[in-house]
Every structure is written in structure tokens, then in C-alpha cells.
Amino acid sequence: MSSLTNFPSASGDSENNNPKYLTVQALTKYIKKKLDIDTHLQSIFVRGEISNFKHHNSGHMYLTIKDEKARIQAVMFQGDNKRLRFKPENGMKVLIQGKVSVFEAFGQYQLYIHEMEPDGIGALFLELEQLKKQLKKEGLFEEADKKTIAAFPEHIAIITSETGAAIRDMVTTIKRRYPIVHISLFPVQVQGQGSEEAIAAAISQVNHYPEKIDTILLARGGGSIEDLWSFNMERVIRAVYNSSIPIISGVGHETDTTLTDFAADLRAPTPTGAAELAVPSITELHYTVEQSRVHLNRLMQHKISQQKERLKSIHRSYAFQKPKLFIQEKTQYVDRLQEACQRQLTLIFSQKREQNKQLQQRLIQTHPRKKISNAKQELDNLTASLTKNRQQMMQQKRQQLQTMLDKLALLNPLYIMNKGFSVAYKQDGTIVKRTNQVQLEEHIDVALMDGKLACSITGMRSDKDE
């Protein structure tokens, strides 16, 4: 332990009587100081996989960085992690720049992360995928929420840069296809710092514009993913989704796709394509109108021809040739109809009168007075029947009672004794049934019809003796 004699000791520690021994705090401070002065550990680059990730309420991120053979605790404070363009997750492989030091409270070394980016995938792409997944889960890309684009718009708003080629191509296309529409340009910054806020504000401005606007064209020319990134920002996407006016998205070239395309009511491959989808072609409309006019004219000519033929047929008809005779025939036909109606009315009246009689009979039968009379008669019958049944039952029960009394009398000991029989009892009350139950000169009682006899046994004789 002599190698520790140069370590700093804890000053003012009354328990540290032997300078060779250090406190845990002093040892931890010494190790931390050694690591902090090691320039190789103050700016290191580490590749690893995230596990045990926790984003604390304080804003700090706590995680473990590991590979196949080792792991190290790490922390990324809020001041550093607020610059992240993606959300760290367990299992994600990352590239880290930071330093190694000691967390004195636990006496463990850990990695303090200053910068972090995904390993093997671009940070922008990862951020895009994470935001896309989140917004899709919230329902911002649902087809059921898409608004219908106006077929014949009167007023179109274009949100794009006023200096790019996109605005010129869009205006030229709209004027060529549908020159009667009114166009309003809302110029915005479409890339760089502040573009996100500008685009979202322009969408809100159009929605609150005093004049009625039918369609919004949100567009910009092609570029790299960084150039188009403003159209992947959450604020812009939510502004597109919340717009009450239908939006056509035309961002970048045909192969470019932004999250704005998913939130918009209609996606166009290019700004020019958005202009073509926003308005109809007036040339095609003229052609359609002309075709409709020709078709309508043919239909009218055919209808007129049919009506002419019908008119000729009417002129040739019997009614026009002999109108007086025609009227007479129709008058006779009316007379026959009247007679048939009269016969039918008479028949119906007769049927209804018969039905009325039947209903009156049924009403009499169901009248409350009739029901009361029937119920009273039925009550009298039931009362008579009940009285008769009660009398018969009483007579039957009397006969049954007398029979039982007769049977009970036969079992009465007094009835047997009245015929000359008696019962012998021992002094303890036991009935004497056999001769072997008593002894000579034993006293017994003999019960007769009108009392008892006190007797003494002077002799015994059994059936066997006889």
C-alpha cells in the first residue's frame, strides 16, 4: 500500500488517523482527476448500440452503450440532446462523440455524450421515418380525411418562392389551361432557417383570406433532401392537414417524396403537375361542350321527329275523322260505367249491411249485462255443485271416522278385559307373559275390568306339565 502514499488525503477528517488509508471520496476524486486530465479521454469517438434508454423528466438522457463484449454507462444532458434530429431508441446503433469521466456519487466511470448520430443510416432519414410513423399513428395521412379538389375553381392560391422557376411554370400552365381563373401568389421562403414557420404561416393566411379561395398549390422546385426538408417538418405537415381549403402538393421532382405529400389532399409529381391537377383544360372543356351541343341537337331532332309522327297519327285517328260518332260512343261507354258503378255500390251496401247485423249480434253477446248474467248463472251452478260436493265429502268422512273408531275399540285393552281377560304385572310394572318370569310366593298384581287384585304365587303349572 506504499504506492498510495502520494494520494491526496481528505482534509479535516478526524477519523483518518493513519495517513496511509484514504476515504472512498478521496480515492474517487483522485481517479476522476486522472481521467479528466487524460486528453485521450476528453474527446473520444465511440460506436455502439443503445440499451436501457431513458429520457428523464429533467430532459437528460440516460443510456447504456454496448457491443458484443462490453458496455459503458452514458449520459447526454439536455443542453446537448436538444440538438438531436432523431429520437434515440433501444437497439439503435449510433456514432458518439464525447468524453469519459467519473460519476463521484456512485464511483463509476461513464461516457458523457456531446454529439450522437445514427450509425449506418442518415440522421435526416431516420428523423423522417420516425416523424412519419408518429404522424401516421395520429391519423394525419388518412385517405378518409382528404378533401375534394374543386373541379372548376374560381380562385387559386400558390404558396412558393416568388423567385424560382416553379412559379413561372405553374402560372404559365394555369393560364394556358384555364385562363379565366384568378391566381394569388403568397411568396414564402421554401428552404433554410425560418422556412418552416413561413410556410405554415402562409397556409394559415390563405385560410383566413377575405376572398374565397378554392384550392391551394403548395410547391417548390427540385433539390436535395436537405433543400426539401422544410416540407418534412412537423409544423408544416400539421398546417397542411388542418387547412380547411384543399391543398395540392407539388414539391420537387417526380421521384421526390416529402411528408407534405402524405398530408395534402392531392399529390402532384412536380409543381407543373400540381398546376395541371388544379384546373381543367379549357380546350378540353370547349371540345366537351361542342360534343354535348352536337349530341343534344341530335336528341332534339329525333324527339321532334317522333312528335311529328305522333301528331300525324293523331290526325289520322278515328276521333279526328268522326268526332260526333266518337263522342256518342264515349257517352254510351260512360253510361255503362255508371250502371256498373251503381250495381257495385248496391252490392257493397248490401254486404256492409249484413256485416253490420253480424257485428250487432256479436255486440249483444259481448255486452257487459249479458256477461254479468252469464257469470251469475255460472256462479249459482258452481255454488250448488260445491254444496253437493261438500255434503258428500262430509258423509264420506263420517263413515271413515266411524270405521276407524271401531278398529280402535278392538285394540282397546279395556274392551278385551270386558270379555273376561286380565293382565298380570310384576311389582316393577313388567307384564307377566310366561311362567318362568315369576317365583313361588312372589307377589304380583292382576288388572281386571274394574280394578286390580294383589296375588301371591303359590304354585306354577306350564303347558308342558299338562
Side-chain angles (χ1 to χ4, degrees), residues 385-400:
S385 177
L386 180 61
T387 303
K388 183 179 179 180
N389 290 339
R390 180 170 56 82
Q391 292 174 352
Q392 291 177 352
M393 185 176 293
M394 290 293 292
Q395 182 63 27
Q396 183 180 2
K397 294 300 180 181
R398 287 193 186 98
Q399 293 176 356
Q400 291 178 355

Side-chain angles (χ1 to χ4, degrees), residues 305-417:
S305 177
Q306 285 182 330
Q307 295 302 321
K308 285 181 178 180
E309 289 297 325
R310 186 183 176 199
L311 183 61
K312 290 179 181 180
S313 176
I314 292 174
H315 279 296
R316 294 192 299 267
S317 67
Y318 178 74
F320 272 85
Q321 295 296 324
K322 299 180 178 181
K324 186 175 180 180
L325 184 59
F326 177 78
I327 293 173
Q328 292 175 349
E329 291 178 352
K330 293 301 180 182
T331 303
Q332 186 178 2
Y333 179 69
V334 170
D335 293 339
R336 290 179 179 178
L337 288 178
Q338 288 179 343
E339 293 176 358
C341 288
Q342 186 64 37
R343 287 194 300 270
Q344 187 68 22
L345 287 173
T346 303
L347 177 61
I348 293 174
F349 180 76
S350 176
Q351 291 175 346
K352 295 300 180 182
R353 184 166 52 190
E354 184 64 27
Q355 291 178 0
N356 187 43
K357 288 182 178 180
Q358 295 177 0
L359 290 174
Q360 286 180 349
Q361 292 296 328
R362 290 175 60 186
L363 181 61
I364 292 173
Q365 294 296 325
T366 57
H367 194 278
R369 187 180 299 108
K370 181 68 173 177
K371 285 190 173 183
I372 292 173
S373 177
N374 293 338
K376 185 177 179 181
Q377 182 64 38
E378 184 178 0
L379 178 61
D380 294 341
N381 295 336
L382 290 175
T383 303
S385 177
L386 180 61
T387 303
K388 183 179 179 180
N389 290 339
R390 180 170 56 82
Q391 292 174 352
Q392 291 177 352
M393 185 176 293
M394 290 293 292
Q395 182 63 27
Q396 183 180 2
K397 294 300 180 181
R398 287 193 186 98
Q399 293 176 356
Q400 291 178 355
L401 178 60
Q402 187 60 44
T403 301
M404 290 181 174
L405 290 174
D406 292 343
K407 291 181 180 180
L408 184 61
L410 293 175
L411 298 176
N412 189 350
L414 297 177
Y415 177 79
I416 298 173
M417 291 179 180

